[in-house]
Amino acid sequence: MKRFLTIISGYWIILTSLSAQPSGQMASGQNPEPVGVVTGKVYDQSADEPLPFANIVIYSLRDSSMVTGTIASEDGSFTIEKIPYGRYYIEVKFIGYDKQILNDIRIVPQKSYVDLGNIRIERARQELQEVEITAERAAVEFHVDKKVVSIQENLNAVGESLARALENAPSISVDIDGNVALRGSTSFTVLIDGKPSPLNGPDALQQIPASAVESVEIITNPSAKYDPDGLAGIINIITKKRALDGVSGVINLSAGTHDKYRGDILINFKSDKVTFYAGADFNDMNFMGNMTKSTFTQSADTAEYIISAGTGDRLRNGYSFKGGLTYNFNRNTSFTLEGSGGTHSFSRIESGKYHEYTVPDLNHLFYINDNLESRSEGFYGFTANFEKSFARQDHKLTSYLYFEKEFGGSDEAQEQLFTDENWQEIQVDAEKIKTDEESDEYGLRFQIDYTRPFGVTGILETGYQARIDMENEDHHFFNFDNETDTWIANPIFTNDVDFRNDIHALYGTYANEFKGFGYQIGLRTEYNFREIQNLNAAVPSTMELFDYFPSVHLSRKIGKQDQVLASYSRRINRPRGFFLDPYPSYMDPNTIRIGNPELLPEYVDSYELSYQKGIGKSSFISLEGYYRKTHNAMTRLTTVRDDGIRVFSMDNLNEENAAGGELMVNMQVTKWLNLNASTNLYLFTLEGNITDNSVAARSTNSDVRFNGNIRIGRDTRFQVQGFYQGPSVTAQGERKEFLMTSASIRQDFFKQRLSATLRIQDIFKTGKFHFVAEGTNFRDEFRFSREPQVVMLTLGYRINNYKNRDRDGDRGEESQNEDVIMNDQ
């Protein structure tokens, strides 16, 4: 702890000294104030005459953020002053003309005045009496450290959860239950607008409607600035926001076959000083399915077989509210307060016919087993953000304080009724058991980040973060006494657990360019204290760790459209509370679960090398190679006791390795046809020891995604998707292949204010899950097929009431309408 406090003290000394320097001061002692000037004159190429009132916008070359802009005067001339030192690109556009882009404009002390001369732009090839621009965002955009997936361009996502919307996203796979994996791993971190969510990762992806999301950032090799949690990386959800003055909003309502309903609303208001948004959503989604199970258990000289078949339905429902207010004190200082809350629940309803027998005795037992599991939780969270920008571009100080609470519990009830071989009842009273769990979780997070540019291209980022997480869980188990018609508590499977996890972290990254290469290096250090207090344990189980997490990113541009990227990062996956609880919990008459308090975190060394080649304006090819080495790999183990009871537990294997490549192609074949396809192929190996037996397994894993978009006229679009996931090994088994196809058609009405989307999922009834697990004295096989050919209809309505400004002002009405339409696509 003394060592950690010393680091914190040093950090604050450095931060204080950096903040105390003049905001515009350069590392070399150059002029502290931004004095850059850009001037020029816009001409009509065909008429060879000045073009008045054209829009000139300056963007940062580093992250494409807008810096400043202006409107050309009546003679086409313009001057933009007080531009911070840096590298930029400039867009010149006007309604009815092709956009002109001027690349790599440098504002440096040696050349702070840039004269662009005469800029000539051409009229659009086709002029309409009523001009309307409907720019579409690319389905996937590549940045130096992430991929950005546009959810709004995915018609098959309409009316669905975000998890389903990501089925065709690069590096992501989604199974039949909507569980998401990132490059084959379920260990990843989910953020919402760069901040944690009151919901945990999988629940957030399942509960958030895709219609409320603008885009998703997939960061497979994050820098040291980000939390190191999640072996596979980070999925950052960017929610919808509007940037124009006035009122805007969107309403979506969806209905599908067999009781599937979803809806959401988002309203935004923006003025010069205040930005406000409020939203709500609900979902009530029922998914029917069929399943078969078979188990084999060898105990002494007797083999036991259990074969079952039945239904397995999944229900998800809930609602949530959110809102936020941003107040701009001035151009450089703002404060934001955001809040969210709601409930979400998940139910599993299974009913099956079981045939149980033994060999060699051939004792046969027939029964019907009904199992109802439900989990319902409420949540709320608050975030306060403060941001201070300084005179120079990218020089800023930000901080946020976040609090969340999640409360609720789960119930599970099983009823077993014995029958004859024809499934006719042979007893009056069924055997009943039930379990319930109550839990409370609290989370507090504080973070402060400081970003400072150095020279022309250098960027230093540093920060501190504190995370405090506490959880309490009460487990109760009951048997039903048919004679007294009461539930009786069973102390063997009753327990109370308190879990606490504290993390304090410091990080620093530095990015710059050297002889045509871009680079970023970073280091994050963490102190972690973990404690588990078990009601049935005499002393708590504790752990203290001091960890480090370095990162390196390199880039090299080749020509105007191509670039090569390389990166390395070290990450961690911490065990969840129920992985650690050593007290047994009952799952069914033949299965119990026991946690492992000695379970260690997983660590991964992740390497990536990628090449991105642009083809024309909107097509590209991307090839990524990666290698991921996991140490202390956590895995679920199954063992069989002498009495035939299965025991599920967790343990650390020695290591796992995944090495492969991902190829993605996006082709704008014609103006009306876009094709997007990707494939991921990797070799997966694992090795270690299970119950004193050496384990080594390997498989060649693959997945393929296809997305075809057809535009039929101005207001009609058709989209088809396909996703295939190949088989893969686990520590004690194998997961079989999986295939899913979907298609959608969308029709817009009333100048794209109203839209109707019809979608069908699993067209060819191939969405089936098949898993096999086997080990010493046991073999399990499980098959599950979800309801196929689900049809969903979604209606969406957009509310736009933006303020128009006079042409003599900042923007003209036509130009304003252009941005409205582009925002909505």
Side-chain angles (χ1 to χ4, degrees):
M1 179 60 75
K2 291 181 179 179
R3 182 181 182 186
F4 180 71
L5 292 174
T6 301
I7 294 175
I8 292 180
S9 301
Y11 162 78
W12 282 112
I13 293 173
I14 295 173
L15 182 58
T16 303
S17 63
L18 288 173
S19 301
Q21 296 183 29
S23 59
Q25 186 176 337
M26 306 296 293
S28 58
Q30 294 153 354
N31 194 327
E33 293 298 327
V35 295
V37 176
V38 170
T39 186
K41 195 168 186 178
V42 183
Y43 271 76
D44 182 316
Q45 174 75 24
S46 302
D48 193 26
E49 60 184 25
L51 185 64
F53 311 120
N55 292 274
I56 299 92
V57 184
I58 299 180
Y59 295 91
S60 168
L61 191 62
R62 175 176 173 267
D63 58 8
S64 298
S65 61
M66 189 181 79
V67 178
T68 185
T70 189
I71 303 293
S73 62
E74 293 188 5
D75 65 352
S77 64
F78 66 90
T79 299
I80 305 176
E81 301 178 339
K82 297 184 178 180
I83 305 172
Y85 295 133
R87 296 175 63 186
Y88 306 95
Y89 67 91
I90 296 177
E91 287 187 357
V92 182
K93 56 185 179 180
F94 190 68
I95 296 298
Y97 287 77
D98 291 333
K99 179 171 59 178
Q100 176 80 289
I101 298 179
L102 308 175
N103 288 305
D104 204 6
I105 306 299
R106 296 173 180 252
I107 306 294
V108 295
Q110 295 82 5
K111 189 180 179 182
S112 60
Y113 185 88
V114 176
D115 187 352
L116 301 175
N118 295 333
I119 305 169
R120 302 180 183 275
I121 60 177
E122 297 182 354
R123 291 181 179 271
R125 294 181 181 179
Q126 183 179 9
E127 292 191 37
L128 305 176
Q129 291 182 352
E130 181 180 353
V131 178
E132 187 175 87
I133 298 176
T134 56
E136 292 185 9
R137 181 178 299 174
V140 180
E141 297 177 354
F142 285 84
H143 297 255
V144 172
D145 58 348
K146 61 192 173 187
K147 308 179 192 75
V148 181
V149 179
S150 174
I151 300 301
Q152 297 309 296
E153 293 305 312
N154 185 350
L155 297 187
N156 285 299
V158 176
E160 275 289 2
S161 69
L162 182 57
R164 286 296 173 201
L166 293 174
E167 283 180 337
N168 219 323
S171 308
I172 286 180
S173 58
V174 183
D175 71 12
I176 198 168
D177 279 325
N179 300 310
V180 175
L182 183 56
R183 280 194 178 154
S185 173
T186 57
S187 172
F188 56 87
T189 298
V190 173
L191 303 176
I192 299 179
D193 294 324
K195 306 177 187 67
S197 164
L199 302 175
N200 63 45
D203 282 336
L205 297 175
Q206 291 276 14
Q207 293 291 129
I208 294 175
S211 54
V213 178
E214 187 76 26
S215 61
V216 172
E217 297 178 348
I218 302 172
I219 311 172
T220 51
N221 228 10
S223 72
K225 177 180 180 178
Y226 294 95
D227 294 347
D229 298 72
L231 301 183
I234 293 172
I235 296 177
N236 186 26
I237 303 167
I238 308 300
T239 58
K240 283 185 176 178
K241 299 179 181 65
R242 293 289 183 249
L244 299 181
D245 289 357
V247 177
S248 66
V250 61
I251 302 173
N252 295 286
L253 295 174
S254 303
T257 52
H258 298 106
D259 297 325
K260 298 175 180 63
Y261 308 99
R262 183 185 293 276
D264 62 87
I265 181 171
L266 179 67
I267 301 296
N268 300 268
F269 169 79
K270 184 178 185 300
S271 65
D272 291 338
K273 286 287 186 180
V274 176
T275 301
F276 171 78
Y277 76 89
D281 62 76
F282 78 92
N283 72 90
D284 188 1
M285 309 288 284
N286 300 331
F287 299 94
M288 300 184 296
N290 296 286
M291 61 184 181
T292 61
K293 299 178 184 178
S294 65
T295 66
F296 159 76
T297 305
Q298 181 71 45
S299 178
D301 58 351
T302 301
E304 180 183 57
Y305 296 85
I306 302 176
I307 300 173
S308 68
T311 59
D313 299 341
R314 307 290 190 267
L315 289 72
R316 289 188 179 273
N317 53 72
Y319 63 87
S320 67
F321 301 93
K322 61 181 178 181
L325 176 69
T326 298
Y327 182 78
N328 300 306
F329 294 96
N330 51 50
R331 183 179 179 182
N332 299 321
T333 307
S334 66
F335 177 78
T336 301
L337 185 63
E338 297 176 295
S340 62
T343 66
H344 61 93
S345 62
F346 169 79
S347 298
R348 184 183 65 187
I349 304 174
E350 297 180 354
S351 180
K353 298 176 179 178
Y354 286 72
H355 177 203
E356 186 176 328
Y357 64 95
T358 58
V359 175
D361 298 334
L362 292 179
N363 294 320
H364 292 270
L365 188 65
F366 298 89
Y367 55 92
I368 297 175
N369 191 81
D370 294 329
N371 185 15
L372 171 61
E373 178 187 357
S374 62
R375 185 179 77 245
S376 180
E377 295 177 326
F379 67 91
Y380 59 83
F382 300 96
T383 305
N385 298 267
F386 175 80
E387 181 170 338
K388 168 67 175 178
S389 298
F390 300 93
R392 190 176 176 194
Q393 178 75 9
D394 293 328
H395 188 187
K396 60 184 178 180
L397 178 69
T398 62
S399 66
Y400 76 82
L401 179 66
Y402 173 75
F403 172 78
E404 65 170 345
K405 181 178 180 180
E406 193 168 347
F407 52 92
S410 63
D411 299 282
E412 184 172 3
Q414 294 188 33
E415 182 175 309
Q416 191 175 77
L417 184 65
F418 291 96
T419 71
D420 60 21
E421 61 184 8
N422 296 314
W423 311 108
Q424 299 299 314
E425 299 178 13
I426 59 175
Q427 70 178 43
V428 177
D429 297 321
E431 295 185 2
K432 302 177 183 179
I433 58 172
K434 73 174 184 178
T435 62
D436 68 63
E437 174 187 306
E438 296 178 359
S439 64
D440 286 296
E441 297 182 45
Y442 301 87
L444 180 67
R445 182 176 299 206
F446 171 74
Q447 182 164 327
I448 183 168
D449 302 287
Y450 178 71
T451 304
R452 176 184 171 83
F454 284 89
V456 177
T457 57
I459 294 287
L460 172 69
E461 294 180 288
T462 184
Y464 163 75
Q465 182 189 86
R467 297 163 57 185
I468 311 296
D469 295 302
M470 294 179 290
E471 181 179 355
N472 172 261
E473 293 184 353
D474 293 332
H475 303 268
H476 305 278
F477 180 89
F478 301 89
N479 294 101
F480 188 75
D481 189 328
N482 288 299
E483 293 184 1
T484 62
D485 197 30
T486 58
W487 290 100
I488 300 176
N490 185 333
I492 297 177
F493 298 108
T494 298
N495 193 27
D496 185 1
V497 179
D498 289 323
F499 177 71
R500 176 165 183 153
N501 195 41
D502 297 351
I503 302 172
H504 298 270
L506 297 170
Y507 81 87
T509 68
Y510 181 73
N512 210 330
E513 296 181 5
F514 180 74
K515 294 186 177 180
F517 286 88
Y519 66 88
Q520 183 197 72
I521 55 174
L523 178 64
R524 187 185 189 93
T525 59
E526 284 192 352
Y527 168 76
N528 182 199
F529 172 77
R530 186 183 79 190
E531 180 181 73
I532 306 168
Q533 177 65 61
N534 191 303
L535 178 66
N536 298 286
V539 295
S541 173
T542 62
M543 181 199 71
E544 287 188 275
L545 288 175
F546 190 88
D547 275 325
Y548 65 95
F549 302 96
S551 67
V552 179
H553 289 72
L554 302 173
S555 65
R556 170 75 176 187
K557 284 196 173 183
I558 303 174
K560 293 184 178 180
Q561 292 184 294
D562 302 354
Q563 62 178 337
V564 178
L565 308 171
S567 61
Y568 162 78
S569 68
R570 184 173 187 260
R571 302 190 61 75
I572 187 173
N573 182 32
R574 312 176 208 271
R576 300 178 65 181
F578 68 87
F579 289 173
L580 303 167
D581 182 8
Y583 206 73
S585 61
Y586 182 94
M587 297 184 69
D588 62 48
N590 302 300
T591 309
I592 62 174
R593 182 181 65 203
I594 299 177
N596 178 6
E598 304 302 320
L599 193 65
L600 298 174
E602 299 176 293
Y603 295 92
V604 65
D605 292 309
S606 178
Y607 304 83
E608 290 189 5
L609 177 64
S610 64
Y611 174 70
Q612 298 165 10
K613 179 174 181 60
I615 304 173
K617 292 184 178 180
S618 55
S619 300
F620 64 83
I621 297 176
S622 172
L623 178 61
E624 298 184 4
Y626 60 90
Y627 173 63
R628 191 171 65 230
K629 186 179 186 66
T630 305
H631 310 271
N632 299 333
M634 293 188 296
T635 189
R636 193 183 82 167
L637 304 180
T638 302
T639 56
V640 180
R641 300 192 320 198
D642 293 339
D643 59 2
I645 298 296
R646 277 174 168 72
V647 178
F648 289 164
S649 61
M650 298 291 295
D651 205 349
N652 294 106
L653 290 173
N654 290 349
E655 66 179 45
E656 291 179 351
N657 296 276
E662 185 173 22
L663 174 65
M664 184 167 185
V665 180
N666 185 87
M667 298 297 295
Q668 189 68 43
V669 182
T670 67
K671 289 184 178 180
W672 53 269
L673 176 62
N674 176 268
L675 301 178
N676 184 286
S678 68
T679 181
N680 181 27
L681 179 68
Y682 66 97
L683 175 65
F684 177 73
T685 64
L686 58 87
E687 60 182 50
N689 292 285
I690 299 177
T691 62
D692 298 325
N693 294 318
S694 178
V695 174
R698 67 170 52 205
S699 65
T700 301
N701 297 3
S702 62
D703 58 63
V704 180
R705 299 169 179 81
F706 171 80
N707 191 332
N709 290 279
I710 300 174
R711 180 172 286 279
I712 306 169
R714 188 184 67 174
D715 296 324
T716 307
R717 290 176 59 191
F718 177 75
Q719 186 178 83
V720 60
Q721 286 186 340
F723 170 67
Y724 168 80
Q725 182 173 299
S728 177
V729 299
T730 66
Q732 290 181 295
E734 180 185 12
R735 174 187 48 76
K736 304 295 184 177
E737 64 272 9
F738 173 80
L739 174 65
M740 182 74 78
T741 53
S742 303
S744 301
I745 186 167
R746 168 174 157 173
Q747 180 66 45
D748 293 325
F749 307 92
F750 309 123
K751 295 184 178 180
Q752 300 182 338
R753 293 291 185 255
L754 177 68
S755 65
T757 304
L758 186 67
R759 179 177 57 82
I760 180 170
Q761 182 175 297
D762 194 10
I763 301 173
F764 303 108
K765 303 181 180 181
T766 56
K768 300 178 180 180
F769 178 80
H770 185 189
F771 179 76
V772 176
E774 55 187 335
T776 305
N777 298 329
F778 80 94
R779 186 181 191 276
D780 297 339
E781 185 168 3
F782 177 72
R783 297 173 184 264
F784 184 80
S785 58
R786 176 60 58 77
E787 169 190 359
Q789 297 178 339
V790 174
V791 179
M792 294 285 294
L793 174 64
T794 299
L795 298 178
Y797 184 75
R798 295 176 179 84
I799 304 167
N800 291 327
N801 186 26
Y802 298 111
K803 296 177 182 178
N804 293 322
R805 301 171 187 168
D806 296 333
R807 182 174 288 273
D808 292 336
D810 188 26
R811 298 285 300 272
E813 182 176 353
E814 287 182 336
S815 181
Q816 191 79 340
N817 289 334
E818 172 194 356
D819 280 347
V820 172
I821 295 172
M822 293 180 68
N823 251 295
D824 285 341
Q825 291 302 307

